[in-house]
Each structure stands twice: as structure tokens, then as C-alpha cells.
Amino acid sequence: MLIGMLLPMLVAAQTDQLWLANQPKESGWCNLYSDLSKKDLTEQVIEKELAQYFASVNRVKVASDKVANVRIFIDKDKTDHLGAEGFKIRRAYPIDIVAETPAGALYGVYAYLRMMRLGVEIPESLVERPAFQVRILNHWDNPDGSVERGYAGRSIWFADGKINFRSDIETYARANASVGINGTVIDNVNADPKVLSSEMLNDIKTVADRLRPYNIKVYLAVNFSSPAALGGLKTSDPLDKDVIDWWQKKVDEIYTLIPDFGGFLVKANSEGLPGPMDFGRTHADGANMLAKALKPHNGIVMWRAFVYNPQGGDRAKQAYYEFMPLDGKFDDNVIIQIKNGPVDFQPREPFSPLFGAMKNTQTMAELQITQEYLGYSDHLCYLGTMWKEFMDYPSFHDGKSVIETTLNQKLTAFSAVANTGTMKNWCGYVMAQSNWYAFGRLAWNPNLSARAIAKEWVMQTITKDEKAVNTICDIMMQSREAVTDYMTPLGLHHLMGWSDHWGPEPWTDIPGAREDWLPRYYHKADKIGLGFNRSSKNGGSNAVEQYQEPLRTMYDDPQLCPKELVLWFHHLPWDYYFNDGKTLWQSLNDHYNGGVEQVIKFQKTWQSLKGSVPESIFKEVESKLQVQLDEAQWWRDGCMLYFQTFSNMPLSFTPKYTLEQCKAKLRTKAYVDRQKD
Ligand code: BDP
């Protein structure tokens, strides 16, 4: 068979189909061998996918001598130990895709079709099993149809207090299955107790039914005070017998409707949400109570470590303080969901010190696909590089990388906050689709490189022209660093607007607001210098002590600390000299202006692609880059002019805006409207 023989160079721009628009067509036929009943829904999806590719697909019960181009075997009795979701592809004539379950075969078929689309030669023998058992999207969608931190329209699941999913939800399911995502939490972690009402659950069943054929399980984020708020009980104390009974009955009700329901995601005692600590209990008491109700049904609890309810002190240290004493106290169907960094999805953070530290507790990472702190769906910011930086970082716990500390557990999982919405193209920007794709691919195989994933995505979504593919990948690979440079270089963080997290607002002062919601809490600019002293010296918060040696010593010393994190851990004088011979002030100038220069370069490079990418995508990226450039300049000028009021040192670039204009920009109508989109 000729591989990739019918691949057009320029792919059609149907971005509403995500990375699945450009199906090649093969003239051969395919046999699907299975002893399962024809009614198996996943097998029906497999047939449908194959039928789009092959001229004909035959469903056969036993191997016949009639040879097809591709044969799919679903055989429970195979001895390859492929597991519930693994598959094997053998290149011979014909090509065989072997799995023990329909789900495994589904992933095998998607892998095969991807290779066909990419024009990759099928390896002689390829065995794949997913790295994580649970590969899951967290939607921050509210029953009223709004999306917390959503920049692509309204909710794809809810409207007006009810389930109302996108009519093309199959595209969502296909896209997820094609990269191996097998779970979805459809509602916001700031959970509305209403999601557990019987009426809502009946409707959520319809979502589960639509996703099940694609091997995607539904999970719910739940509000810890549901027994009181929804059930009318006097308390939601996790050790109260009536409360335990209430959850038990609720869980049983869910499983009657949705037999393969995945479980709960819980944000408790964080940012004002209720939790077990309201009743003098611990996170473990709360999580285990729910876990016991779910256990007989094989459900799990993902309990979040994003606890943010500071009593003063350094917010970056809180999760570690709250969770370390509970190490070993969680049931085996509980997993602690930890954000990649210790604060909150910033353009760059060190990894959360909880990874690897809890030796007897199952942990999982939570990433953020939606660009809450990264320019919304307006800035080109490929996150594959950021996630790999986090995942591959040595934790110095038992010689493991950060992500390896979450493997080799009885239960393993990997999650990210989704960037979907009702906009036709799902993500509000074609380039933002790449981050959804990258998350799925990394959840399946954390060893893939950021560039390899970018390349796959570009070739399936934008173009197969080799030069153009490389050019676009170059832009993507540099994009996150550019954003970090013009927003928060050198370990700065949380300089964004105090509630919308959008533009630069290092100056913001909201009378009555909590100090740790204000940017100045994080940057601590003063006459002397800039940065948060988290070292063990000079009155620092000593957050460094939460890291394993040699990281502790390294982060504790500004000369040893990686420069890109230095202001995370240190408050340095404006004229502080780094090893590279530059002062802090000069370095800030160079990074802030360098980020802007990089966007200008992206624009020039993008212009060179005219004609080699579909016109609609060309125009979309062209106009978004213009917005990005303007906002990059705004960020650079706002931050540097503000810092200058403390440093009194000269800028080494010519700003586009004055400080007053930067402040005013936040309130101009065009900007406010964009932010609402
Ligand atoms: C922050 C968001 C906030 C979320 C919170 C969380 O600003 O909207 O509710 O994280 O993860 O990033 O719970």
C-alpha cells in the first residue's frame, strides 16, 4: 500500500473539525475481526472512522483468507498484555491492528489514521499503552452557561441552568479520543451544588451516553456543602452519619443513571469554598468519605491541592503545609490533583514542591490549557514547551523527574483545564487548538517532545508543506518564552489584573481587597529592588525549604538560582549584577523588550507563509498577531514604566505608551469588550 499517497499539501481550513478535518482517503478495504456483538458502541465508532478512510469496511467474525489492506483484531484472549487501552500495530501485508478491547482498538485505529495523515511509515511493530490511566479535561463551565476563564464563547455543556451541549459534540468526542483523552469533568471546580440535583443528573446521563462510545467517562466537580445546600441537611460535616448517607445515596443514584461514571473532582477550603476544615476535619476526612461512597462503583476522587485561604505568610507554601501532614492518610481511590506550580498557572513558575514529597499519597498534575494568564485566546502561546519544562524537571525525589513522581501508583492521572467554548472553532483561536492537542498527546505519552507534537498538529491542521511546517513549529516553540518575556520575565508573577488576569496591572490597589490578591504582594517593587524573597535569608519566607536538595541550596542563592526564576525566590537590588554581567535593570529591559521584538519577528515570519497556509488561517493568525503585538507593547511599557518609578533608571527602548495610557487602556471600551468575549 502506498502510504500517504493522497495527501494534499495544503490542507483545507475547517478549523471547526479541529485536527481531524483533513482525512486522506484510501482505496483499499479493511476487515474488522471481532467476536463482540455488533451493538458495541465503540466498535461502531471504529467502523465509522475506518469508513471515512477506506473504500469499504467489512465486519468479520473469524479470520478468512480474504485479504484486506488493514485488519483490526479485537481479541480479549490475546497474550500481548496490551491492557484495557493498549494496542499493537504490525506492518506486514496486510497491516494488523490488535487490541484486547474496543477502546484499545479505537486508539490503535486513531494512531494508524494519524500516521496516514502525516504520511509517516508504519513501523514494523508498534506497541502502545497510555502512560496515565485517567487522561482528563477539567471544564470550568457553570450551569448558567458561563465559563470561568473561558475565552471561546459560552459553555459547550450548559445553558440557562440546564444541560445543553453543542450539537456537534461528536467532534469534541472524536478529537479527544483521537489523542487518547478518556475523561471529562464537565463543570467548574467552583461547583454549584445544583449539578447534583436529580433533574440535572438525568440530563448529565445524556452527555455520558454521547461520550461513552469514544471511551470518554464523565466526572463531576462537586461542592462539598451539597448535603446542606442541596439536600437540606443541617451540616455537611464529613463524619456526620446523615451526611455520609446522603453522599452514599447520591452516588448510588448517579451510578444507576451512569454505570461508568468516573468520579468527583473537589475544590475544598480554597478561595472561600466550603470543605471539611469548616467542621474541624481534614482534607483526608473529606476525601475519604467521598471515596468510600464511590469505591463499590470503581469511582475515584480527585482532591485538589490548590488550597488558597492564606492566614498570612507566603501563599506559595500553603499547599505543602496543608497536605504534607496528611501523607499516607488518603484512601486508594483518592488522588491529589496538584497544579504544576505552587501559585497559579503563571507564565513561568518553579514546579510545586508537593510533587514527589508525598511518598505515600497518589498525586496527579493539573495543567491549564485555557490561557488565563497568557493573553487569553488572543496570544499565540504554544504550551507544549512549558509543560515539558515542568514534566521533565528533576525533582530530586528518588531520581525522578517531576512527572515520574506521579507514575507507578495504583491510580495514575493527568489533567488540564480545557479551553473550549461555543465558538465555531472551539478554542477561540486556531493556534489555541494546538494546546488541547498537546495535552492529550502528553497524557498518552509524556516522552513525546514538544516539537514533535507541534509538528503533528501543524501537519494535520494547517499545512503539510515541509518548509511552512518547520517555520510554524519554530514560531510555536519560541512563543511561550516570548509571552513570558513581555509579561513576567525572570520569575516575576501575578502582575496581571487582579481579577481578570488579563493586562498589566503591577500598580493596582483595590481598597478592601485581600493583600495577596494584589500584584504588589508578588512583585514587591520598592526603592531597593524587585522580587519576592522566598529564600532562607534576610527575612525571606523560606519557601525554598520545601524543595529537595540540591534544589533547595540552588534556589536559595541568587547566583545559583536559574535566572528565569530568580525573582520568584529573591528580592534583588535594581543594580544587582548577574553572572552574565548584566544588572537586574538591564535584564528586565532586555527581556521585556525582547518579548516585543519576538512578536514582531513572528509577524514577519508569518507574512512569509502567505500562499503556503490556507487563506482563512493566514488571516486569522495575521490579525491575532497584531493584537498580540499591541498587548505585548502594553505589557512591556506598563511594567517597565511602573518599575521605573522605583528604580529611577533609564529605559533602553522607546515605549509606545505612557504609564497613564497603560492604566487607561484597561478601561477603554474595545479592550473591555474583548475581555468579555
Ligand atoms: C485560578 C482562577 C480561578 C480558579 C482557581 C482554581 O483564577 O478562577 O477558580 O484558579 O483553580 O487560576 O480553583
Side-chain angles (χ1 to χ4, degrees), residues 42 47 86 93 118 127 139 167 218 247 259 269 328 337 349 357 370 404 412 452 542 558 564 571 584 592 613 625:
T42 302
E47 264 189 284
Y93 186 79
L118 296 174
V127 176
H139 292 269
S167 56
V218 166
W247 280 110
N269 292 117
Q337 181 171 302
E349 295 190 38
T370 191
E404 280 165 354
T412 58
N542 202 15
E564 69 267 20
H571 186 79
L584 172 61
Y592 271 108
V613 302
L625 281 174

Side-chain angles (χ1 to χ4, degrees), residues 98 197 236 381 405 427 449 459 487 518 550 595 657:
V98 184
S197 70
S236 294
C381 185
T405 68
C427 303
S449 75
M459 289 181 71
M487 286 187 181
L518 296 176
Y657 296 109

Side-chain angles (χ1 to χ4, degrees), residues 109-133:
V109 165
Y110 279 125
Y112 170 76
L113 293 176
R114 178 168 56 240
M115 290 190 273
M116 292 295 101
R117 262 189 246 124
L118 296 174
V120 170
E121 196 180 347
I122 306 289
E124 241 168 67
S125 171
L126 173 74
V127 176
E128 289 202 13
R129 295 178 195 87
F132 297 95
Q133 291 151 17

Side-chain angles (χ1 to χ4, degrees), residues 140 148-149 151 188-190 267 270-271 273 304 306 308 315 339 343-346 366 368 372-373 417 494 498-501:
W140 285 357
E148 180 147 349
R149 313 305 177 186
Y151 313 106
N188 192 356
V189 286
N190 296 318
K267 171 175 177 178
S270 173
E271 295 189 317
L273 267 103
R304 295 178 88 225
F306 178 74
Y308 176 28
R315 172 181 169 187
K339 287 188 183 181
V343 169
D344 191 12
F345 298 138
Q346 296 301 296
E366 176 180 1
Q368 193 181 45
E372 173 180 354
Y373 293 97
V417 183
H494 237 306
W498 76 288
S499 72
D500 59 38
H501 299 166

Side-chain angles (χ1 to χ4, degrees), residues 393-408:
Y393 209 84
S395 74
F396 289 98
H397 285 284
D398 311 316
K400 290 178 178 157
S401 69
V402 171
I403 205 62
E404 280 165 354
T405 68
T406 68
L407 288 165
N408 300 322

